[in-house]
Amino acid sequence: MRKDIVLVLDFGGQYNQLIVRRIRDMGVYSELIPYSTSVEKILSYDPLGIVLTGGPNSVFTEKSLVMDPKILDLGIPILGICYGAQLIAHLKGGVVRSAKTKEYGKCVMHAEPSPLFKGVPASTVIWMSHTDYVEAPPEGYKVIASTDTCPVAAYGSDDKKIYGVQFHPEVVHTEYGNQILRNFLYEICRATGDWTMKNFIDEMVEKIRAKVGGRKVLLAMSGGVDSAVAATLMHKAIGKNLQCVLVDHGLMRKNEVSEVVSVFRDGLGMNLEAIDASDRFLAKLDGVADPEEKRKIIGAEFIHVFEDFGKKLGKVDFLAQGTIYPDVIESGFGDAALIKSHHNVGGLPSVIDFDEIIEPLRDLFKDEVRKVGFELGLDKKIVMRQPFPGPGLAVRVIGAITKAKLDILREADAIMREEIAANGLDSEIWQYFAVLTDMRSVGVMGDMRTYDYTVALRAVTSVDAMTADWARIPYEVLAKISSRIVNEVNGVNRIVYDITSKPPATIEWE
Ligand code: XMP
């Protein structure tokens, strides 16, 4: 069972989630909580340690964010990063000054012997000083690292187990950043490293069983990673008392619905009902060209389908959802029950009669969800699935939607995916798919003149979809995809490859 937790107090820095992820990667459970969290609440977590994050503020302004100073006297190990380091110094009577210029970049840090810097030689650290710097540490604290331009790059007290670093250990370009965080966790907080996905699963299965007892849970699957892993975990805990439903809106990729059914119903033995609602959706979408209109129609139709399903099903005790930690943090902190407003299951809570929501993955980052998926024995194909828009292929048929166009796109897209995988490029490329443009042009096939559609291929490398670059797919692979699509898919006579990055383009062609 997991016991250790390190809290990360959020002062608004851009890397705050990253700090939590790094700590968890090192085997210690961690949560991001608001800087203003009360001492009582903090004590209720019984944390092993506390990290104060960076942030855009200065300790001198009226608006500066300050936690309850009593947190520094609890005897709990603390690591202040950047703004966090300045704040500790400021609150404990050290000398903090405002910098004349903002500094960003790399510099070489020389560390003194300290548990925080065990095994850390002179090495590069990343600096992001927005405003202030520590000129002298508070009484009882000593300087433990410096750089050529900054005499106090880090300070600390081994007795109090409180440390401040003015650089960012969580950023990969800080050479020994991981070692420094690991030292904080294991040398200073004395963590046991009990955060593993196996422990998470064991603990969550127990919790779900205790909560649900013999009652019934409904879960809407979208085919995506989060709902698939949530369903598998729930199923492990409560078996047949889990009812899953998958709405086929007719906008899925080739074989997608049958694959989900074969893995989860036929393979794992889940209660899974696949509702074929494609006629309903296509009737509503027929001829609709405007992208926003398409999205609205699809969202509304989902609700109608669930409403009908809900009437048939009657009251359920619990509704399970695949909400994950970034959904929770990004929706803001607060105690209100959070309902993921995902388009695939959007509106479900409003039309299904249920008592309570269960979100078994709400503490996990996406990479942890994937690890849980693997740990539960799910196949790579499901666990590493690419992002796919809730409104599905409707987004990738440009212009008016028809069944014929969707069928063309499904075939072209399947060929592209097949060839990318066959050439071993699927793990390098972040997302890849075909788009059916609204453009037709003249071509020749044999002796025949054709007037057919142009298919665009899109493949990007990215880390978070915020920015992306077009993937440098080898020409031979592009050539094979192109010739296969024009030869095997009726209605297509031209293939283009999208070579724009994001920005200025987007990943989808919507
Ligand atoms: P864009 O096209 O804005 O897409 O660069 C960024 C990422 O978001 C995905 N995407 C969606 N994902 N529901 C989703 O879950 C949606 O409605 C949706 N629309 C776009 C897109 O595939 C890309 O990965």
Side-chain angles (χ1 to χ4, degrees):
M1 288 287 267
R2 167 180 71 78
K3 292 187 304 294
D4 296 353
I5 176 168
V6 166
L7 296 174
V8 176
L9 257 57
D10 184 3
F11 287 93
Q14 56 182 322
Y15 294 112
N16 298 353
Q17 280 197 40
L18 190 59
I19 300 172
V20 177
R21 287 177 60 177
R22 289 262 183 277
I23 294 174
R24 291 196 193 182
D25 278 349
M26 291 169 189
V28 182
Y29 182 68
S30 176
E31 274 186 28
L32 191 66
I33 60 169
Y35 74 91
S36 53
T37 305
S38 69
V39 171
E40 293 69 38
K41 175 93 182 167
I42 286 177
L43 287 174
S44 74
Y45 286 95
D46 191 17
L48 276 190
I50 298 173
V51 175
L52 311 180
T53 76
N57 283 266
S58 159
V59 296
F60 297 116
T61 61
E62 270 176 29
K63 287 183 302 187
S64 49
L65 313 180
V66 184
M67 78 287 187
D68 187 333
K70 286 200 285 293
I71 290 170
L72 298 174
D73 301 324
L74 297 174
I76 298 170
I78 292 179
L79 175 65
I81 295 175
C82 200
Y83 177 77
Q86 293 144 15
L87 194 57
I88 298 170
H90 185 61
L91 292 172
K92 285 291 175 194
V95 182
V96 180
R97 300 252 182 250
S98 286
K100 290 188 186 64
T101 50
K102 295 188 178 196
E103 261 189 78
Y104 174 89
K106 297 179 178 183
C107 38
V108 176
M109 176 189 78
H110 302 273
E112 304 291 330
S114 154
L116 190 64
F117 294 130
K118 191 173 164 190
V120 178
S123 52
T124 302
V125 296
I126 289 293
W127 212 264
M128 266 163 268
S129 167
H130 303 290
T131 43
D132 304 336
Y133 64 96
V134 177
E135 192 176 81
E139 212 183 301
Y141 292 75
K142 60 181 191 197
V143 176
I144 53 172
S146 58
T147 72
D148 289 347
T149 52
C150 177
V152 191
Y155 65 88
S157 158
D158 297 340
D159 295 339
K160 298 181 179 59
K161 296 187 193 297
I162 295 181
Y163 299 86
V165 294
Q166 298 220 54
F167 56 89
H168 285 267
E170 72 278 19
V171 174
V172 283
H173 302 291
T174 292
E175 265 181 293
Y176 285 81
N178 276 348
Q179 180 69 33
I180 295 166
L181 288 176
R182 202 180 295 279
N183 286 343
F184 178 67
L185 298 174
Y186 290 95
E187 299 293 325
I188 296 162
C189 297
R190 300 280 168 198
T192 56
D194 57 5
W195 177 243
T196 65
M197 291 308 108
K198 181 169 180 318
N199 283 353
F200 167 82
I201 293 169
D202 293 345
E203 197 178 324
M204 191 48 74
V205 162
E206 286 300 311
K207 270 194 198 163
I208 294 168
R209 281 185 188 147
K211 185 167 189 142
V212 174
R215 291 177 288 168
K216 301 275 181 215
V217 181
L218 175 68
L219 186 148
M221 288 180 86
S222 65
V225 183
D226 303 344
S227 61
V229 173
T232 314
L233 188 56
M234 294 295 302
H235 180 252
K236 185 180 167 80
I238 59 167
K240 292 285 182 193
N241 283 331
L242 175 70
Q243 170 70 58
C244 292
V245 57
L246 172 73
V247 173
D248 176 6
H249 51 15
L251 304 163
M252 301 282 202
R253 295 173 297 183
K254 190 175 176 183
N255 298 334
E256 204 157 19
V257 173
S258 57
E259 275 169 18
V260 171
V261 169
S262 103
V263 169
F264 294 98
R265 187 166 69 200
D266 309 339
L268 295 178
M270 274 185 204
N271 268 333
L272 166 62
E273 180 164 344
I275 303 176
D276 180 0
S278 49
D279 288 346
R280 284 177 70 158
F281 279 87
L282 292 183
K284 288 266 162 54
L285 285 169
D286 194 36
V288 176
D290 180 68
E292 273 310 302
E293 182 111 351
K294 288 177 188 173
R295 280 183 181 266
K296 278 193 195 127
I297 290 171
I298 293 164
E301 200 52 32
F302 260 118
I303 297 183
H304 292 143
V305 172
F306 280 129
E307 208 166 5
D308 293 348
F309 179 71
K311 278 182 199 142
K312 203 179 85 181
L313 196 70
K315 187 170 159 65
V316 291
D317 302 302
F318 298 92
L319 187 64
Q321 295 204 132
T323 313
I324 68 172
Y325 195 50
D327 303 327
V328 176
I329 315 180
E330 277 150 29
S331 319
F333 294 109
D335 295 330
L338 244 149
I339 294 162
K340 185 181 190 181
S341 60
H342 194 280
H343 8 252
N344 289 351
V345 292
L348 186 50
S350 65
V351 292
I352 299 284
D353 194 5
F354 67 97
D355 283 336
E356 218 179 314
I357 286 199
I358 299 186
E359 296 169 318
L361 308 178
R362 68 174 282 139
D363 287 339
L364 302 188
F365 286 107
K366 191 86 180 185
D367 50 334
E368 293 173 320
V369 172
R370 293 205 159 102
K371 283 186 201 153
V372 168
F374 281 128
E375 188 76 40
L376 289 167
L378 288 176
D379 193 76
K380 184 170 164 230
K381 213 167 165 178
I382 289 161
V383 175
M384 298 311 288
R385 189 180 186 269
Q386 306 181 32
F388 187 60
L393 297 182
V395 167
R396 297 176 185 168
V397 168
I398 311 302
I401 292 190
T402 62
K403 168 114 180 27
K405 280 177 158 180
L406 285 167
D407 287 341
I408 292 176
L409 177 57
R410 248 188 284 270
E411 292 305 318
D413 183 68
I415 291 172
M416 178 180 190
R417 288 196 287 139
E418 226 173 274
E419 288 300 326
I420 297 280
N423 285 281
L425 299 171
D426 48 341
S427 51
E428 279 167 44
I429 305 178
W430 199 73
Q431 196 174 3
Y432 50 93
F433 52 86
V435 174
L436 187 64
T437 74
D438 204 20
M439 196 197 80
R440 288 199 288 172
S441 64
V442 173
V444 279
M445 278 240 183
D447 295 332
M448 298 287 286
R449 177 185 179 280
T450 57
Y451 186 61
D452 283 336
Y453 284 107
T454 295
V455 161
L457 307 177
R458 183 63 160 151
V460 295
T461 52
S462 178
V463 270
D464 54 9
M466 302 294 282
T467 60
D469 195 10
W470 58 280
R472 273 39 170 195
I473 298 179
Y475 284 163
E476 312 78 67
V477 179
L478 286 173
K480 179 86 183 289
I481 297 171
S482 168
S483 72
R484 276 197 61 197
I485 294 176
V486 286
N487 283 312
E488 295 174 33
V489 184
N490 282 334
V492 179
N493 66 359
R494 197 178 291 274
I495 311 290
V496 295
Y497 186 47
D498 182 350
I499 52 166
T500 35
S501 57
K502 172 185 179 176
T506 52
I507 296 174
E508 299 288 347
W509 269 46
E510 184 165 6

